[in-house]
């Protein structure tokens, strides 16, 4: 066998190897098809659900007084890796406040979580429109309140942008911040970004710059992926850790959260939350110029998941925001005793 023949064989082998690697890489980054609730191979439907205009189903759960008897009607938006059962404000609101103020709260599974259908076409704007449809189908009236925690708190910015005319008031509890929102000083973003664990820096960086790699990055075993997805306690401060046993002990539905798959729930959250937005919260106008409502934001000054320095900056740019910084509190402060009572009373002006 001459040299030219050997070279030809080697070239063919390399091409086959390269094609094999490409095929493996393509398969590795393809997320599995979600196991939609009610489908032949999906989980059973057990929740109350509405059918949205685009055909998707949205699961919800009602709390408090009957909606027909309510004075204050609130839509609660859950956080990352959570579901309709994780309505901390509804779950910890005292019976005295519920009855005295006649409070009704509806929580729902955001798309892909729990028993709500995934939304592969989800955008920053789509979820506020889902909330508006939910409110209309449940007959909550022309105006209602919204409360969001963590990633659900980030959704409230979208509500203030896209459905302000439907809101009676809004509360953001430790809302997740997108490091790529226009308006932040570069030095402040760098400082906040570096406060994260290295694996979390990479997780949000991948979600922003290479969203098509988000599934692979969060399922591969070569490098540490998101500590939030892994439920690491390294991202909790001392107060969060004190609250953790009670949170875990009541969360007997954890398997329901990701039952349709992680891509259309956790990973879609990351791609939207840290993707490129059509607007920056810092550019929002006061949704209540006539003082017929108000917007409130709470944040712990020891939050190790969402850096407080960015939240402070947002609050400074929006003088119409009522900002409450909680000394010593971490990310899980809404679970603290009495906190939900305070949040609801402040929100509705009682």
């Amino acid at each position: 066998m001459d040299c030219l023949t050997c070279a030809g064989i080697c070239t063919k082998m390399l091409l086959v190897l390269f094609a094999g690697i490409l095929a493996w890489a393509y398969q590795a980054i393809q997320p599995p098809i979600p196991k939609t609730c009610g489908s032949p191979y999906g989980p059973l439907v057990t929740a109350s659900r509405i059918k949205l205009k685009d055909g998707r189903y949205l699961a919800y759960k009602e709390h408090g007084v009957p909606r027909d008897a309510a004075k204050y009607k609130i839509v609660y938006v859950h956080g990352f890796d959570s579901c309709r059962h994780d309505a901390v404000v509804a779950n910890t609101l005292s019976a005295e406040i519920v009855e005295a103020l006649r409070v009704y709260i509806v929580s729902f599974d955001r798309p892909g979580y729990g028993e709500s259908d995934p939304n592969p076409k989800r955008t920053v704007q789509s979820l506020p429109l889902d909330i508006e449809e939910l409110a209309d189908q449940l007959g909550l009236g022309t105006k209602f309140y919204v409360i969001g925690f963590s990633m659900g708190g980030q959704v409230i910015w979208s509500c203030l942008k896209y459905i302000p005319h439907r809101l009676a008031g809004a509360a953001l509890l430790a809302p997740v911040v997108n490091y790529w929102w226009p308006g932040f000083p570069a030095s402040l973003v760098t400082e906040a970004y570096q406060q994260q664990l290295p694996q979390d820096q990479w997780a949000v960086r991948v979600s922003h710059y290479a969203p098509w790699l988000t599934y692979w990055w969060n399922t591969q075993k070569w490098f540490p992926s998101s500590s939030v997805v892994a439920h690491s306690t390294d991202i909790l401060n001392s107060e969060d850790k004190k609250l953790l046993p009670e949170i875990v002990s009541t969360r007997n539905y954890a398997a329901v959260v990701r039952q349709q798959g992680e891509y259309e729930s956790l990973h879609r959250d990351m791609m939207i939350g840290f993707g490129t937005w059509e607007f920056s919260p810092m550019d929002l106008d006061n949704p209540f110029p006539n003082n017929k409502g108000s917007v409130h934001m709470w944040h712990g000054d020891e939050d190790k998941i969402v850096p407080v320095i960015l939240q402070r900056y947002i609050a400074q740019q929006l003088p119409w925001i009522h900002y409450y910084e909680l000394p010593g509190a971490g990310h899980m402060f809404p679970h603290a005793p009495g906190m939900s009572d305070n949040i609801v009373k402040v929100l509705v002006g009682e």
Side-chain angles (χ1 to χ4, degrees):
M1 185 181 296
D2 59 35
C3 292
L4 288 175
T5 303
C6 288
I9 292 174
C10 289
T11 300
K12 290 179 181 179
M13 291 177 64
L14 287 172
L15 287 173
V16 170
L17 179 61
F18 182 66
I21 292 173
L22 284 178
W24 170 84
Y26 177 78
Q27 290 297 324
I29 65 175
Q30 297 304 305
I33 297 173
K35 300 176 181 178
T36 306
C37 286
S39 66
Y41 301 102
L44 296 174
V45 175
T46 63
S48 299
R49 305 202 303 177
I50 63 165
K51 189 174 184 179
L52 300 169
K53 293 175 182 176
D54 64 3
R56 288 181 297 115
Y57 284 92
L58 201 71
Y60 66 92
K61 181 179 181 180
E62 298 177 289
H63 317 256
V65 301
R67 80 178 86 117
D68 293 340
K71 180 180 180 181
Y72 300 111
K73 298 173 183 178
I74 302 172
V75 178
Y76 179 87
V77 189
H78 69 74
F80 184 77
D81 201 7
S82 305
C83 70
R84 67 190 183 281
H85 300 303
D86 289 299
V88 56
V89 172
N91 294 339
T92 60
L93 192 63
S94 69
E96 291 78 13
I97 293 296
V98 170
E99 294 300 326
L101 300 184
R102 304 205 318 270
V103 177
Y104 164 87
I105 301 177
V106 59
S107 56
F108 66 98
D109 291 332
R110 293 196 283 109
Y113 283 107
E115 295 184 32
S116 285
D117 288 351
N119 183 7
K121 298 179 180 179
R122 183 179 154 197
T123 65
V124 173
Q125 183 179 10
S126 64
L127 192 50
L129 300 182
D130 287 353
I131 290 172
E132 186 175 32
E133 276 200 68
L134 175 66
D136 287 342
Q137 291 202 35
L138 294 182
L140 301 191
T142 56
K143 289 185 180 289
F144 49 88
Y145 295 86
V146 288
I147 300 177
F149 172 45
S150 193
M151 190 66 85
Q154 190 190 65
V155 172
I156 304 303
W157 292 122
S158 301
C159 293
L160 293 170
K161 170 68 175 178
Y162 295 112
I163 58 167
H165 57 289
R166 301 302 306 274
L167 304 182
L172 302 90
L173 316 180
V176 168
V177 172
N178 185 327
Y179 298 94
W180 292 272
W181 280 335
F184 282 130
S187 59
L188 193 69
V189 171
T190 300
E191 180 184 351
Y193 191 77
Q194 292 178 347
Q195 289 177 12
Q196 298 181 99
L197 296 175
Q199 61 261 44
D200 294 329
Q201 294 180 28
W202 274 103
V204 299
R205 186 183 290 127
V206 168
S207 299
H208 181 79
Y209 290 110
W212 48 276
L213 276 179
T214 302
Y215 168 74
W216 174 80
W217 183 263
N218 287 281
T219 55
Q220 52 79 32
K221 306 301 181 185
W222 298 345
F223 311 102
S225 55
S226 168
S227 61
V228 181
V229 173
H231 295 169
S232 171
T233 57
D234 293 339
I235 53 175
L236 302 179
N237 86 327
S238 58
E239 290 302 311
D240 286 340
K241 290 177 181 178
K242 291 177 184 177
L243 297 169
L244 192 58
E246 178 65 20
I247 296 171
V248 172
S249 69
T250 58
R251 215 163 180 263
N252 55 4
Y253 48 82
V256 172
V257 174
R258 307 183 187 183
Q259 66 180 352
Q260 298 185 84
E262 296 184 7
Y263 182 71
E264 286 295 345
S265 52
L266 310 185
H267 304 160
R268 183 71 64 185
D269 251 6
M270 297 172 73
M271 290 185 288
I272 298 294
F274 298 107
T276 301
W277 281 38
E278 298 90 350
F279 73 97
S280 168
M282 288 166 278
D283 295 332
L284 291 175
D285 295 324
N286 184 356
F288 305 109
N290 298 320
N291 296 320
K292 293 184 178 180
S294 53
V295 181
H296 304 264
M297 181 162 63
W298 283 261
H299 207 88
D301 71 351
E302 292 186 13
D303 192 325
K304 297 175 69 175
I305 297 176
V306 183
V308 69
I309 57 173
L310 294 182
Q311 222 68 278
R312 285 177 191 153
Y313 187 82
I314 293 173
Q316 290 166 3
Q317 306 310 303
L318 302 175
W320 43 269
I321 288 273
H322 300 271
Y323 178 59
Y324 315 97
E325 195 167 295
L326 308 176
H331 193 69
M332 309 305 290
F333 70 83
H335 293 270
M339 195 68 217
S340 293
D341 285 9
N342 179 53
I343 290 167
V344 170
K345 286 191 292 184
V346 168
L347 175 62
V348 303
E350 292 278 358

